[in-house]
Amino acid sequence: MFRRSWRHLAMAAAALLAVSSVAACSGDSADSQDLSENRAGAMADYAVGTQFKATEPVSFSVLYNNHPNYPLKNDWLFWSELTSRTNVTLEPVAVPLSDYNQKRSLLIGAGDAPLLIPKTYPPDVHAYVSSGAILPVSDYLDLMPNLKDKIEKWNLQPELDTLRQADGKFYLLPGLHEKPWHEYSLVVRTDILDELNLAVPKTWDDVYTMLKAMKAAYPDTIPFSDRYSQPNPAGNLLNLLALSYGLQGAGWNFQHVSWNANAQRFEYTGATEQYRQMLQYLNRLVAEKLLDPESFTQTDDLARQKLANSRSFVISGNAQALVNDYRPDLAATNPKAKVTKIPLPVGPAGEINPASRLENGMMISSKARDSKNFVAMMQFVDWLWYSDAGQEFARWGVEGQTFVKDGSGKHTLAPDVDMIGLNAGAPKHLQKDFGFANGVFSYGGKPELVQAFFSAEEQEFQQVMNARPPKSPPPPYPLSDEEREQVSLWETPLKDHVYQATLQFVLGQRDFAQWDAYVGELKGKNMDSYLSTVNEAYQRYRDQNN
């Protein structure tokens, strides 16, 4: 759920394909500011690969998202080892996961926010920029050599530009992935494929062929019956198809605009030719009884029951749904059944990995800038969240206690430590008992680190997806406060009408001959004004930053 929320903004904000350096794009660099009074505890020779250790004991407050699966403990090894390595003591201000966003807003609004504010998603940042409550972190990237190094080595500047506000600066330090991480795809009964001598489908056309063969062999079934239809009809299926058709997102990740690289302008997603073709594809599946029309309305439980009872053979999902839902369901009803998550089928957009390489990140209170320890704090953040050593520590813990390495450098959990069942029955747990692999401190990195606790099957899936080139991000269009307020009034009526018409077209309740009339209805709901605002913002940003 959280990753989906991040992708929603990352794709909507879009990015500028910049050729200039990070420092040149980020406004005032730290070197151009007088930080002579803010260097207490900072290292003079801090650089990539350097173990950060403050030259005197320092402490920083941090807003702590207290996860119910591993509630905060003051005696975690994470805290003591972190202090031992860095001379930094973190002072967590614990907030329950369920109230995190609300409590964060209250603390920031009252001027009582901790200095470090992690687990923040880009949409959350907008509310705080104009008040001056959070720091324009792009001004201080020169203090963060590991972050800059990864941006350069991984060519992340286009993605980073998605975070920029109307002033050209960004106010969030995001989690960085070397490779995109795509979660969701189709889950298929591979024993049925074997029975019918069918290959795993590689394209959406292949999916159609597969479903036709399944229907011919089992005429009383509807081969594909999907879940994730509440609150958004066919939320996951529509999004998977939209990405495959080259759009920014649909369904539960609906994006109002998509970038037309040929025309060099944004178009309204729900009115594009790609969206129409996508709906025609789904309509064909429904009309030929290959896709269950209840996929757009049914509960997840009902979709799972149909798969478990062999009333369907295909559903969508991620690794967690595969292992926790589908396989146990089938084991209880049909132990010989085999089900697998297949690589995302390829559509008209070609072989791409559509996932973002950014993740939730960190805001920093503007109060931090006046601290005598400001430079040391930025160095510490850079080490823990962005250095290879800091990322290894946050995820794996302490070598010899929570994990071991073999001669090739491969990490393995210590025999008495468990994590997601890798050492089932072990007496200790990496998160609950030690505080490592904690979502507040551990995210982003190289694929081998990010996927460290993935099953071998999921790692294979990711290898296939990582072999595909990442989706090119479109350019940014940062809106002013006034523009953002105006488009927010247009968005809900537009989205609601797209959802309604999508169902009508797919289910055959509306003929595609009425497509132009539907587009006219969107125009009547301010679609053109919405596009004008977005494209003017894009042009303004491009002109100011070229």
Side-chain angles (χ1 to χ4, degrees), residues 311-377:
R311 293 170 56 195
S312 69
F313 305 126
V314 180
I315 195 170
S316 69
N318 59 4
Q320 182 175 335
L322 175 67
V323 173
N324 294 340
D325 296 344
Y326 307 147
R327 283 182 175 154
D329 290 348
L330 282 163
T333 59
N334 187 355
K336 294 183 180 180
K338 297 179 181 179
V339 65
T340 299
K341 186 178 72 165
I342 68 171
L344 179 65
V346 176
E351 287 202 20
I352 56 168
N353 189 328
S356 173
R357 293 193 292 163
L358 303 187
E359 199 170 344
N360 70 83
M362 166 111 56
M363 293 189 298
I364 294 178
S365 171
S366 57
K367 296 182 298 184
R369 176 61 180 81
D370 297 327
S371 166
K372 67 177 183 177
N373 302 126
F374 175 66
V375 174
M377 187 191 74

Side-chain angles (χ1 to χ4, degrees), residues 489-491 493-498 500 519-528 530:
L489 299 176
W490 296 331
E491 285 180 339
L494 283 166
K495 182 172 67 174
D496 287 348
H497 195 66
V498 171
Q500 180 186 40
V519 173
E521 292 157 9
L522 292 176
K523 291 176 182 288
K525 297 182 183 298
N526 297 297
M527 180 185 76
D528 288 343
Y530 189 104

Side-chain angles (χ1 to χ4, degrees), residues 492-526:
T492 298
L494 283 166
K495 182 172 67 174
D496 287 348
H497 195 66
V498 171
Y499 281 173
Q500 180 186 40
T502 293
L503 277 178
Q504 292 171 339
F505 283 121
V506 169
L507 299 179
Q509 298 166 355
R510 189 167 186 179
D511 193 276
F512 282 95
Q514 297 183 30
W515 183 261
D516 290 343
Y518 153 69
V519 173
E521 292 157 9
L522 292 176
K523 291 176 182 288
K525 297 182 183 298
N526 297 297

